[in-house]
Amino acid sequence: EVQLVESGGGLVQAGGSLRLSCVTSGFIFRNVGVGWFRQAPGKERELVSCISNFDDFDYYLDSVKGRFTMSSDHAKSTVYLQMTNLKPEDTAVYYCAAPSAYGCYGRRESDFESWGQGTQVTVSS
């Protein structure tokens, strides 16, 4: 059974930083892609970042490039999303999604088998 447990959300002022964590289990971590999606009120869920654990093809949403960095700890089967210079428009519920057998070539919600419970990120202006 795939399990994804997120943590690290919270309230931060604009310009601040947060680090989200997603502890994964139930699949072979090194063979898949793992993504972070977010959903703001009234908006569709969007893929923010994806890391491929088997090649170098990662993905970042244009609006977060240079501010967000995703990384993997293979020993802990955990991925992280380091978010810096946060903006009010980053406010959303952030979801970890995995595994994707396509790495980060598939970026649709349906390309990821399971989802975490979500963690709220709120950025005040």
Side-chain angles (χ1 to χ4, degrees):
E1 179 187 3
V2 174
Q3 290 192 329
L4 307 171
V5 180
E6 302 133 331
S7 61
L11 173 63
V12 65
Q13 289 188 332
S17 299
L18 285 172
R19 189 178 79 156
L20 306 183
S21 300
C22 176
V23 180
T24 76
S25 61
F27 56 89
I28 302 174
F29 188 74
R30 66 178 182 274
N31 290 351
V32 303
V34 182
W36 283 100
F37 286 76
R38 69 184 180 188
Q39 187 167 24
K43 295 187 177 181
E44 294 187 353
R45 191 153 50 181
E46 62 182 354
L47 179 62
V48 175
S49 178
C50 177
I51 191 166
S52 174
N53 287 331
F54 60 84
D55 62 18
D56 293 328
F57 188 76
D58 299 336
Y59 169 83
Y60 290 95
L61 186 67
D62 282 347
S63 62
V64 307
K65 286 181 180 177
R67 300 189 297 122
F68 290 12
T69 303
M70 195 168 174
S71 59
S72 282
D73 184 333
H74 286 236
K76 297 180 179 179
S77 296
T78 299
V79 296
Y80 304 95
L81 183 67
Q82 179 68 50
M83 305 184 293
T84 63
N85 191 21
L86 282 160
K87 303 177 180 181
E89 51 263 43
D90 295 318
T91 295
V93 178
Y94 284 70
Y95 298 89
C96 179
S100 171
Y102 308 103
C104 296
Y105 294 97
R107 301 172 195 166
R108 302 168 298 180
E109 292 184 38
S110 58
D111 291 325
F112 297 83
E113 291 185 26
S114 295
W115 298 78
Q117 78 282 3
T119 185
Q120 177 70 47
V121 172
T122 303
V123 184
S124 63
S125 57

